[in-house]
Amino acid sequence: MEYLSSMSLKGGLFTCDDHKYWRLVLNAYWEVLAAKGKKQKELVTLDKWCQEELPAAIAERQARHLTREELLKLMDWKLSRGKFRPRLQQLVATNSSEAVESCTEKAFQLLPDVAAAISELSRLKAVGPATASAILAAGAPEAAAFMADEAMESIPGLVPIQYTLKHYMLYLGKIQSCVEKLNKTDAEKTWTPHLVEKSLWAWIVAKKLHLPLFETLGTEMEEDECNTDAGKEPPNKRKRK
């Protein structure tokens, strides 16, 4: 397991220009999720479904869309990530199967116009910009990022958070700029809005949980690679235990 120095990213992950740091954080995603899921056992199961099984199911369809059952499960996942609001579960369940499949299919067809896709999905009951972004991120991770509170909190200029289309598009714009920055220097060029969002989520959650994940540096990268303060010498690297 690679580790990061919290001192090397004093400005936060979002301000870091080095794709190697981002890749280390992204690779730690499941470890951070497991730590958060110790008190929420269903979170890990739901997240694995949302990040792996649902995207695969959507991709296999001739026309990308979600079923009603998938929308209900996606809402369960979203609420497990944040505040539990049973009223939303009740409301989203009132959508018919036909409405869900028709609306989600049209939304994916509207891409790459993300704003139009979000507006289309918002026609469904209990689906606002945040839930709509989760739908799009599952089926089109190259176009959209989930509107995660933690990811938004980590980006300068987005607090206080507003759950509006305008605020989401501001958030997505910053995410897309980050994607472009990372793909310019990363030879793999596999960064997408969704992967950037996952990395920011892992970074913030690890800090909130006081995980030792990013406290020691286990690679040859020195602290002055990101957010270096002018005139300061990088401190000696600590050995991994």
Side-chain angles (χ1 to χ4, degrees):
M1 176 67 205
E2 300 282 7
Y3 291 88
L4 289 173
S5 168
S6 60
M7 290 298 292
S8 67
L9 298 170
K10 288 180 289 186
L13 181 62
F14 185 76
T15 62
C16 178
D17 293 332
D18 195 319
H19 67 270
K20 293 187 292 292
Y21 281 88
W22 281 85
R23 186 69 63 181
L24 289 176
V25 176
L26 179 61
N27 290 343
Y29 176 83
W30 293 108
E31 187 171 341
V32 175
L33 182 75
K36 182 176 174 60
K38 285 183 178 179
K39 295 182 180 180
Q40 300 171 263
K41 294 183 179 180
E42 73 284 355
L43 175 60
V44 176
T45 300
L46 284 170
D47 206 274
K48 187 174 180 62
W49 172 81
C50 183
Q51 305 292 350
E52 299 177 358
E53 296 175 33
L54 178 59
I58 295 173
E60 289 177 354
R61 292 165 186 157
Q62 185 173 2
R64 288 181 294 179
H65 67 273
L66 266 70
T67 66
R68 178 177 177 275
E69 291 70 25
E70 288 168 342
L71 177 59
L72 297 185
K73 193 168 183 178
L74 188 66
M75 180 63 80
D76 289 342
W77 168 81
K78 175 176 172 286
L79 295 178
S80 71
R81 278 281 206 99
K83 294 181 180 178
F84 181 67
R85 300 167 64 187
R87 179 60 177 161
L88 279 181
Q89 289 177 310
Q90 296 169 4
L91 284 175
V92 78
T94 63
N95 290 296
S96 68
S97 295
E98 182 181 0
V100 171
E101 293 184 21
S102 174
C103 193
T104 56
E105 181 177 336
K106 184 175 181 180
F108 283 117
Q109 291 173 343
L110 287 168
L111 294 175
D113 189 339
V114 177
I118 293 284
S119 295
E120 174 64 25
L121 291 169
S122 296
R123 294 173 53 199
L124 293 169
K125 296 174 184 177
V127 175
T131 304
S133 72
I135 293 171
L136 295 180
E142 75 287 351
F146 172 51
M147 197 178 189
D149 288 354
E150 295 83 0
M152 289 191 290
E153 290 171 3
S154 70
I155 300 176
L158 293 184
V159 178
I161 296 171
Q162 300 174 46
Y163 299 100
T164 63
L165 176 57
K166 181 180 179 180
H167 204 72
Y168 176 73
M169 294 308 297
L170 178 62
Y171 161 70
L172 183 60
K174 291 179 179 289
I175 291 284
Q176 289 172 330
S177 295
C178 191
V179 169
E180 293 176 7
K181 173 184 69 177
L182 294 173
N183 281 332
K184 280 182 180 179
T185 58
D186 192 340
E188 294 184 30
K189 299 188 183 303
T190 55
W191 290 98
T192 65
H194 183 47
L195 291 182
V196 168
E197 158 243 310
K198 284 177 65 177
S199 300
L200 292 172
W201 182 89
W203 172 259
I204 291 297
V205 172
K207 292 185 70 176
K208 287 183 176 180
L209 294 178
H210 304 291
L211 300 181
L213 209 56
F214 310 132
E215 289 184 357
T216 54
L217 192 62
T219 68
E220 293 301 318
M221 297 182 294
E222 295 185 352
E223 288 194 357
D224 62 346
E225 287 188 62
C226 286
N227 308 319
T228 305
D229 290 332
K232 291 186 178 180
E233 292 294 329
N236 294 328
K237 292 182 285 185
R238 289 173 289 181
K239 295 181 179 179
R240 287 171 64 178
K241 295 180 179 180

PDB file of all heavy atoms in Angstrom, residues 30 33 40-54 72-81 89:
ATOM      1  N   TRP A  30     -11.163   2.091  -2.063  1.00  0.00           N
ATOM      2  CA  TRP A  30     -11.886   0.997  -1.412  1.00  0.00           C
ATOM      3  C   TRP A  30     -11.460   0.816   0.037  1.00  0.00           C
ATOM      4  O   TRP A  30     -12.263   0.412   0.883  1.00  0.00           O
ATOM      5  CB  TRP A  30     -11.699  -0.299  -2.195  1.00  0.00           C
ATOM      6  CG  TRP A  30     -12.361  -0.245  -3.537  1.00  0.00           C
ATOM      7  CD1 TRP A  30     -11.765  -0.148  -4.754  1.00  0.00           C
ATOM      8  CD2 TRP A  30     -13.780  -0.240  -3.787  1.00  0.00           C
ATOM      9  NE1 TRP A  30     -12.711  -0.084  -5.754  1.00  0.00           N
ATOM     10  CE2 TRP A  30     -13.961  -0.143  -5.195  1.00  0.00           C
ATOM     11  CE3 TRP A  30     -14.909  -0.305  -2.964  1.00  0.00           C
ATOM     12  CZ2 TRP A  30     -15.223  -0.105  -5.788  1.00  0.00           C
ATOM     13  CZ3 TRP A  30     -16.171  -0.278  -3.558  1.00  0.00           C
ATOM     14  CH2 TRP A  30     -16.309  -0.181  -4.943  1.00  0.00           C
ATOM     15  N   LEU A  33     -13.352   3.504   1.852  1.00  0.00           N
ATOM     16  CA  LEU A  33     -14.763   3.112   1.919  1.00  0.00           C
ATOM     17  C   LEU A  33     -14.977   2.055   3.000  1.00  0.00           C
ATOM     18  O   LEU A  33     -15.953   2.109   3.756  1.00  0.00           O
ATOM     19  CB  LEU A  33     -15.227   2.579   0.569  1.00  0.00           C
ATOM     20  CG  LEU A  33     -16.706   2.182   0.511  1.00  0.00           C
ATOM     21  CD1 LEU A  33     -17.587   3.424   0.455  1.00  0.00           C
ATOM     22  CD2 LEU A  33     -16.976   1.289  -0.697  1.00  0.00           C
ATOM     23  N   GLN A  40     -21.483   1.116   8.818  1.00  0.00           N
ATOM     24  CA  GLN A  40     -22.554   1.051   7.820  1.00  0.00           C
ATOM     25  C   GLN A  40     -22.245  -0.103   6.876  1.00  0.00           C
ATOM     26  O   GLN A  40     -21.754   0.091   5.772  1.00  0.00           O
ATOM     27  CB  GLN A  40     -22.628   2.355   7.021  1.00  0.00           C
ATOM     28  CG  GLN A  40     -22.912   3.600   7.832  1.00  0.00           C
ATOM     29  CD  GLN A  40     -22.740   4.848   6.968  1.00  0.00           C
ATOM     30  OE1 GLN A  40     -21.698   5.490   6.981  1.00  0.00           O
ATOM     31  NE2 GLN A  40     -23.767   5.192   6.210  1.00  0.00           N
ATOM     32  N   LYS A  41     -22.518  -1.300   7.316  1.00  0.00           N
ATOM     33  CA  LYS A  41     -22.140  -2.480   6.549  1.00  0.00           C
ATOM     34  C   LYS A  41     -22.750  -2.502   5.154  1.00  0.00           C
ATOM     35  O   LYS A  41     -22.144  -3.013   4.213  1.00  0.00           O
ATOM     36  CB  LYS A  41     -22.537  -3.742   7.320  1.00  0.00           C
ATOM     37  CG  LYS A  41     -21.749  -3.924   8.620  1.00  0.00           C
ATOM     38  CD  LYS A  41     -22.121  -5.219   9.310  1.00  0.00           C
ATOM     39  CE  LYS A  41     -21.301  -5.406  10.591  1.00  0.00           C
ATOM     40  NZ  LYS A  41     -21.639  -6.656  11.293  1.00  0.00           N
ATOM     41  N   GLU A  42     -23.955  -1.935   5.007  1.00  0.00           N
ATOM     42  CA  GLU A  42     -24.597  -1.951   3.698  1.00  0.00           C
ATOM     43  C   GLU A  42     -23.915  -1.008   2.712  1.00  0.00           C
ATOM     44  O   GLU A  42     -24.054  -1.146   1.500  1.00  0.00           O
ATOM     45  CB  GLU A  42     -26.080  -1.588   3.823  1.00  0.00           C
ATOM     46  CG  GLU A  42     -26.378  -0.109   4.112  1.00  0.00           C
ATOM     47  CD  GLU A  42     -26.119   0.296   5.549  1.00  0.00           C
ATOM     48  OE1 GLU A  42     -25.788  -0.580   6.372  1.00  0.00           O
ATOM     49  OE2 GLU A  42     -26.283   1.491   5.858  1.00  0.00           O
ATOM     50  N   LEU A  43     -23.153  -0.033   3.227  1.00  0.00           N
ATOM     51  CA  LEU A  43     -22.507   0.950   2.364  1.00  0.00           C
ATOM     52  C   LEU A  43     -21.543   0.301   1.383  1.00  0.00           C
ATOM     53  O   LEU A  43     -21.545   0.614   0.193  1.00  0.00           O
ATOM     54  CB  LEU A  43     -21.767   1.992   3.201  1.00  0.00           C
ATOM     55  CG  LEU A  43     -20.934   3.023   2.426  1.00  0.00           C
ATOM     56  CD1 LEU A  43     -21.819   3.816   1.474  1.00  0.00           C
ATOM     57  CD2 LEU A  43     -20.210   3.956   3.387  1.00  0.00           C
ATOM     58  N   VAL A  44     -20.703  -0.605   1.851  1.00  0.00           N
ATOM     59  CA  VAL A  44     -19.705  -1.245   0.988  1.00  0.00           C
ATOM     60  C   VAL A  44     -20.385  -2.058  -0.112  1.00  0.00           C
ATOM     61  O   VAL A  44     -19.997  -1.989  -1.283  1.00  0.00           O
ATOM     62  CB  VAL A  44     -18.764  -2.141   1.809  1.00  0.00           C
ATOM     63  CG1 VAL A  44     -17.796  -2.879   0.887  1.00  0.00           C
ATOM     64  CG2 VAL A  44     -17.987  -1.309   2.825  1.00  0.00           C
ATOM     65  N   THR A  45     -21.411  -2.808   0.261  1.00  0.00           N
ATOM     66  CA  THR A  45     -22.137  -3.628  -0.718  1.00  0.00           C
ATOM     67  C   THR A  45     -22.817  -2.752  -1.764  1.00  0.00           C
ATOM     68  O   THR A  45     -22.731  -3.018  -2.970  1.00  0.00           O
ATOM     69  CB  THR A  45     -23.192  -4.495  -0.011  1.00  0.00           C
ATOM     70  OG1 THR A  45     -22.546  -5.348   0.931  1.00  0.00           O
ATOM     71  CG2 THR A  45     -23.952  -5.342  -1.024  1.00  0.00           C
ATOM     72  N   LEU A  46     -23.480  -1.689  -1.307  1.00  0.00           N
ATOM     73  CA  LEU A  46     -24.165  -0.790  -2.223  1.00  0.00           C
ATOM     74  C   LEU A  46     -23.180  -0.055  -3.125  1.00  0.00           C
ATOM     75  O   LEU A  46     -23.445   0.154  -4.313  1.00  0.00           O
ATOM     76  CB  LEU A  46     -25.005   0.227  -1.442  1.00  0.00           C
ATOM     77  CG  LEU A  46     -26.313  -0.291  -0.847  1.00  0.00           C
ATOM     78  CD1 LEU A  46     -26.923   0.747   0.091  1.00  0.00           C
ATOM     79  CD2 LEU A  46     -27.305  -0.653  -1.951  1.00  0.00           C
ATOM     80  N   ASP A  47     -22.047   0.333  -2.563  1.00  0.00           N
ATOM     81  CA  ASP A  47     -21.073   1.078  -3.356  1.00  0.00           C
ATOM     82  C   ASP A  47     -20.460   0.201  -4.440  1.00  0.00           C
ATOM     83  O   ASP A  47     -20.252   0.656  -5.570  1.00  0.00           O
ATOM     84  CB  ASP A  47     -19.977   1.640  -2.446  1.00  0.00           C
ATOM     85  CG  ASP A  47     -19.328   2.875  -3.046  1.00  0.00           C
ATOM     86  OD1 ASP A  47     -18.380   2.721  -3.831  1.00  0.00           O
ATOM     87  OD2 ASP A  47     -19.785   3.993  -2.746  1.00  0.00           O
ATOM     88  N   LYS A  48     -20.177  -1.030  -4.100  1.00  0.00           N
ATOM     89  CA  LYS A  48     -19.629  -1.955  -5.104  1.00  0.00           C
ATOM     90  C   LYS A  48     -20.637  -2.144  -6.232  1.00  0.00           C
ATOM     91  O   LYS A  48     -20.256  -2.192  -7.408  1.00  0.00           O
ATOM     92  CB  LYS A  48     -19.298  -3.304  -4.453  1.00  0.00           C
ATOM     93  CG  LYS A  48     -18.572  -4.261  -5.393  1.00  0.00           C
ATOM     94  CD  LYS A  48     -18.141  -5.504  -4.658  1.00  0.00           C
ATOM     95  CE  LYS A  48     -17.403  -6.469  -5.585  1.00  0.00           C
ATOM     96  NZ  LYS A  48     -16.176  -5.881  -6.135  1.00  0.00           N
ATOM     97  N   TRP A  49     -21.897  -2.246  -5.871  1.00  0.00           N
ATOM     98  CA  TRP A  49     -22.946  -2.377  -6.896  1.00  0.00           C
ATOM     99  C   TRP A  49     -22.985  -1.127  -7.768  1.00  0.00           C
ATOM    100  O   TRP A  49     -23.044  -1.215  -9.003  1.00  0.00           O
ATOM    101  CB  TRP A  49     -24.304  -2.592  -6.220  1.00  0.00           C
ATOM    102  CG  TRP A  49     -25.451  -2.539  -7.190  1.00  0.00           C
ATOM    103  CD1 TRP A  49     -25.890  -3.543  -8.005  1.00  0.00           C
ATOM    104  CD2 TRP A  49     -26.281  -1.403  -7.471  1.00  0.00           C
ATOM    105  NE1 TRP A  49     -26.946  -3.107  -8.775  1.00  0.00           N
ATOM    106  CE2 TRP A  49     -27.214  -1.798  -8.471  1.00  0.00           C
ATOM    107  CE3 TRP A  49     -26.348  -0.102  -6.972  1.00  0.00           C
ATOM    108  CZ2 TRP A  49     -28.175  -0.931  -8.980  1.00  0.00           C
ATOM    109  CZ3 TRP A  49     -27.307   0.768  -7.480  1.00  0.00           C
ATOM    110  CH2 TRP A  49     -28.214   0.357  -8.468  1.00  0.00           C
ATOM    111  N   CYS A  50     -22.938   0.040  -7.128  1.00  0.00           N
ATOM    112  CA  CYS A  50     -23.045   1.304  -7.849  1.00  0.00           C
ATOM    113  C   CYS A  50     -21.835   1.573  -8.740  1.00  0.00           C
ATOM    114  O   CYS A  50     -21.975   2.072  -9.861  1.00  0.00           O
ATOM    115  CB  CYS A  50     -23.225   2.444  -6.840  1.00  0.00           C
ATOM    116  SG  CYS A  50     -23.457   4.067  -7.609  1.00  0.00           S
ATOM    117  N   GLN A  51     -20.650   1.223  -8.259  1.00  0.00           N
ATOM    118  CA  GLN A  51     -19.427   1.533  -8.991  1.00  0.00           C
ATOM    119  C   GLN A  51     -19.079   0.496 -10.059  1.00  0.00           C
ATOM    120  O   GLN A  51     -18.387   0.821 -11.030  1.00  0.00           O
ATOM    121  CB  GLN A  51     -18.235   1.643  -8.015  1.00  0.00           C
ATOM    122  CG  GLN A  51     -18.419   2.620  -6.879  1.00  0.00           C
ATOM    123  CD  GLN A  51     -18.473   4.077  -7.319  1.00  0.00           C
ATOM    124  OE1 GLN A  51     -18.186   4.399  -8.468  1.00  0.00           O
ATOM    125  NE2 GLN A  51     -18.840   4.956  -6.416  1.00  0.00           N
ATOM    126  N   GLU A  52     -19.566  -0.728  -9.896  1.00  0.00           N
ATOM    127  CA  GLU A  52     -19.162  -1.792 -10.806  1.00  0.00           C
ATOM    128  C   GLU A  52     -20.327  -2.478 -11.524  1.00  0.00           C
ATOM    129  O   GLU A  52     -20.349  -2.564 -12.754  1.00  0.00           O
ATOM    130  CB  GLU A  52     -18.345  -2.837 -10.041  1.00  0.00           C
ATOM    131  CG  GLU A  52     -17.058  -2.272  -9.437  1.00  0.00           C
ATOM    132  CD  GLU A  52     -16.286  -3.297  -8.622  1.00  0.00           C
ATOM    133  OE1 GLU A  52     -16.765  -4.439  -8.483  1.00  0.00           O
ATOM    134  OE2 GLU A  52     -15.183  -2.956  -8.139  1.00  0.00           O
ATOM    135  N   GLU A  53     -21.285  -2.978 -10.758  1.00  0.00           N
ATOM    136  CA  GLU A  53     -22.366  -3.763 -11.357  1.00  0.00           C
ATOM    137  C   GLU A  53     -23.348  -2.918 -12.169  1.00  0.00           C
ATOM    138  O   GLU A  53     -23.732  -3.298 -13.281  1.00  0.00           O
ATOM    139  CB  GLU A  53     -23.105  -4.536 -10.261  1.00  0.00           C
ATOM    140  CG  GLU A  53     -22.233  -5.564  -9.551  1.00  0.00           C
ATOM    141  CD  GLU A  53     -22.952  -6.222  -8.383  1.00  0.00           C
ATOM    142  OE1 GLU A  53     -24.185  -6.387  -8.469  1.00  0.00           O
ATOM    143  OE2 GLU A  53     -22.292  -6.568  -7.389  1.00  0.00           O
ATOM    144  N   LEU A  54     -23.767  -1.778 -11.609  1.00  0.00           N
ATOM    145  CA  LEU A  54     -24.725  -0.927 -12.328  1.00  0.00           C
ATOM    146  C   LEU A  54     -24.144  -0.394 -13.642  1.00  0.00           C
ATOM    147  O   LEU A  54     -24.816  -0.482 -14.681  1.00  0.00           O
ATOM    148  CB  LEU A  54     -25.186   0.217 -11.430  1.00  0.00           C
ATOM    149  CG  LEU A  54     -26.164   1.212 -12.076  1.00  0.00           C
ATOM    150  CD1 LEU A  54     -27.426   0.499 -12.554  1.00  0.00           C
ATOM    151  CD2 LEU A  54     -26.525   2.334 -11.091  1.00  0.00           C
ATOM    152  N   LEU A  72     -34.277   2.836  -7.465  1.00  0.00           N
ATOM    153  CA  LEU A  72     -34.551   2.721  -6.025  1.00  0.00           C
ATOM    154  C   LEU A  72     -33.275   2.323  -5.278  1.00  0.00           C
ATOM    155  O   LEU A  72     -32.982   2.860  -4.201  1.00  0.00           O
ATOM    156  CB  LEU A  72     -35.648   1.681  -5.771  1.00  0.00           C
ATOM    157  CG  LEU A  72     -37.033   1.970  -6.358  1.00  0.00           C
ATOM    158  CD1 LEU A  72     -38.027   0.897  -5.920  1.00  0.00           C
ATOM    159  CD2 LEU A  72     -37.527   3.339  -5.944  1.00  0.00           C
ATOM    160  N   LYS A  73     -32.528   1.412  -5.852  1.00  0.00           N
ATOM    161  CA  LYS A  73     -31.284   0.961  -5.204  1.00  0.00           C
ATOM    162  C   LYS A  73     -30.233   2.073  -5.229  1.00  0.00           C
ATOM    163  O   LYS A  73     -29.461   2.233  -4.271  1.00  0.00           O
ATOM    164  CB  LYS A  73     -30.756  -0.292  -5.899  1.00  0.00           C
ATOM    165  CG  LYS A  73     -29.663  -1.025  -5.116  1.00  0.00           C
ATOM    166  CD  LYS A  73     -29.398  -2.391  -5.723  1.00  0.00           C
ATOM    167  CE  LYS A  73     -28.360  -3.160  -4.912  1.00  0.00           C
ATOM    168  NZ  LYS A  73     -28.130  -4.515  -5.471  1.00  0.00           N
ATOM    169  N   LEU A  74     -30.214   2.842  -6.311  1.00  0.00           N
ATOM    170  CA  LEU A  74     -29.279   3.964  -6.402  1.00  0.00           C
ATOM    171  C   LEU A  74     -29.596   5.007  -5.339  1.00  0.00           C
ATOM    172  O   LEU A  74     -28.687   5.610  -4.753  1.00  0.00           O
ATOM    173  CB  LEU A  74     -29.344   4.592  -7.792  1.00  0.00           C
ATOM    174  CG  LEU A  74     -28.279   5.653  -8.100  1.00  0.00           C
ATOM    175  CD1 LEU A  74     -26.888   5.024  -8.127  1.00  0.00           C
ATOM    176  CD2 LEU A  74     -28.579   6.337  -9.432  1.00  0.00           C
ATOM    177  N   MET A  75     -30.877   5.212  -5.082  1.00  0.00           N
ATOM    178  CA  MET A  75     -31.266   6.145  -4.031  1.00  0.00           C
ATOM    179  C   MET A  75     -30.821   5.617  -2.666  1.00  0.00           C
ATOM    180  O   MET A  75     -30.351   6.395  -1.814  1.00  0.00           O
ATOM    181  CB  MET A  75     -32.787   6.356  -4.043  1.00  0.00           C
ATOM    182  CG  MET A  75     -33.286   7.327  -2.960  1.00  0.00           C
ATOM    183  SD  MET A  75     -32.653   9.015  -3.158  1.00  0.00           S
ATOM    184  CE  MET A  75     -33.768   9.627  -4.447  1.00  0.00           C
ATOM    185  N   ASP A  76     -30.938   4.311  -2.454  1.00  0.00           N
ATOM    186  CA  ASP A  76     -30.444   3.706  -1.206  1.00  0.00           C
ATOM    187  C   ASP A  76     -28.951   3.991  -1.039  1.00  0.00           C
ATOM    188  O   ASP A  76     -28.487   4.329   0.050  1.00  0.00           O
ATOM    189  CB  ASP A  76     -30.683   2.194  -1.205  1.00  0.00           C
ATOM    190  CG  ASP A  76     -32.157   1.832  -1.069  1.00  0.00           C
ATOM    191  OD1 ASP A  76     -32.938   2.694  -0.634  1.00  0.00           O
ATOM    192  OD2 ASP A  76     -32.510   0.687  -1.394  1.00  0.00           O
ATOM    193  N   TRP A  77     -28.202   3.832  -2.142  1.00  0.00           N
ATOM    194  CA  TRP A  77     -26.760   4.094  -2.105  1.00  0.00           C
ATOM    195  C   TRP A  77     -26.474   5.548  -1.763  1.00  0.00           C
ATOM    196  O   TRP A  77     -25.639   5.841  -0.911  1.00  0.00           O
ATOM    197  CB  TRP A  77     -26.141   3.738  -3.455  1.00  0.00           C
ATOM    198  CG  TRP A  77     -24.735   4.237  -3.598  1.00  0.00           C
ATOM    199  CD1 TRP A  77     -23.605   3.662  -3.101  1.00  0.00           C
ATOM    200  CD2 TRP A  77     -24.313   5.429  -4.276  1.00  0.00           C
ATOM    201  NE1 TRP A  77     -22.496   4.436  -3.425  1.00  0.00           N
ATOM    202  CE2 TRP A  77     -22.904   5.518  -4.146  1.00  0.00           C
ATOM    203  CE3 TRP A  77     -24.991   6.435  -4.979  1.00  0.00           C
ATOM    204  CZ2 TRP A  77     -22.167   6.570  -4.689  1.00  0.00           C
ATOM    205  CZ3 TRP A  77     -24.251   7.481  -5.527  1.00  0.00           C
ATOM    206  CH2 TRP A  77     -22.865   7.535  -5.377  1.00  0.00           C
ATOM    207  N   LYS A  78     -27.167   6.447  -2.428  1.00  0.00           N
ATOM    208  CA  LYS A  78     -26.954   7.881  -2.213  1.00  0.00           C
ATOM    209  C   LYS A  78     -27.227   8.260  -0.760  1.00  0.00           C
ATOM    210  O   LYS A  78     -26.468   9.010  -0.140  1.00  0.00           O
ATOM    211  CB  LYS A  78     -27.857   8.691  -3.138  1.00  0.00           C
ATOM    212  CG  LYS A  78     -27.805  10.206  -2.916  1.00  0.00           C
ATOM    213  CD  LYS A  78     -28.669  10.914  -3.944  1.00  0.00           C
ATOM    214  CE  LYS A  78     -28.795  12.386  -3.615  1.00  0.00           C
ATOM    215  NZ  LYS A  78     -29.687  12.640  -2.475  1.00  0.00           N
ATOM    216  N   LEU A  79     -28.293   7.737  -0.195  1.00  0.00           N
ATOM    217  CA  LEU A  79     -28.642   8.061   1.184  1.00  0.00           C
ATOM    218  C   LEU A  79     -27.681   7.410   2.172  1.00  0.00           C
ATOM    219  O   LEU A  79     -27.452   7.938   3.254  1.00  0.00           O
ATOM    220  CB  LEU A  79     -30.085   7.628   1.483  1.00  0.00           C
ATOM    221  CG  LEU A  79     -31.161   8.379   0.689  1.00  0.00           C
ATOM    222  CD1 LEU A  79     -32.549   7.834   1.017  1.00  0.00           C
ATOM    223  CD2 LEU A  79     -31.105   9.881   0.973  1.00  0.00           C
ATOM    224  N   SER A  80     -27.111   6.270   1.796  1.00  0.00           N
ATOM    225  CA  SER A  80     -26.127   5.621   2.680  1.00  0.00           C
ATOM    226  C   SER A  80     -24.838   6.430   2.721  1.00  0.00           C
ATOM    227  O   SER A  80     -24.071   6.355   3.683  1.00  0.00           O
ATOM    228  CB  SER A  80     -25.830   4.194   2.213  1.00  0.00           C
ATOM    229  OG  SER A  80     -25.075   4.187   1.017  1.00  0.00           O
ATOM    230  N   ARG A  81     -24.596   7.220   1.692  1.00  0.00           N
ATOM    231  CA  ARG A  81     -23.413   8.077   1.621  1.00  0.00           C
ATOM    232  C   ARG A  81     -23.592   9.344   2.473  1.00  0.00           C
ATOM    233  O   ARG A  81     -22.622   9.937   2.924  1.00  0.00           O
ATOM    234  CB  ARG A  81     -23.164   8.516   0.178  1.00  0.00           C
ATOM    235  CG  ARG A  81     -22.434   7.536  -0.708  1.00  0.00           C
ATOM    236  CD  ARG A  81     -20.934   7.563  -0.442  1.00  0.00           C
ATOM    237  NE  ARG A  81     -20.160   7.137  -1.594  1.00  0.00           N
ATOM    238  CZ  ARG A  81     -19.571   7.954  -2.456  1.00  0.00           C
ATOM    239  NH1 ARG A  81     -19.684   9.256  -2.314  1.00  0.00           N
ATOM    240  NH2 ARG A  81     -18.861   7.478  -3.454  1.00  0.00           N
ATOM    241  N   GLN A  89     -36.958   8.051  -0.212  1.00  0.00           N
ATOM    242  CA  GLN A  89     -37.145   6.671  -0.667  1.00  0.00           C
ATOM    243  C   GLN A  89     -38.605   6.410  -1.012  1.00  0.00           C
ATOM    244  O   GLN A  89     -38.907   5.737  -1.995  1.00  0.00           O
ATOM    245  CB  GLN A  89     -36.682   5.704   0.419  1.00  0.00           C
ATOM    246  CG  GLN A  89     -35.168   5.663   0.607  1.00  0.00           C
ATOM    247  CD  GLN A  89     -34.768   4.752   1.745  1.00  0.00           C
ATOM    248  OE1 GLN A  89     -35.301   4.862   2.839  1.00  0.00           O
ATOM    249  NE2 GLN A  89     -33.823   3.858   1.483  1.00  0.00           N
TER     250      GLN A  89
END
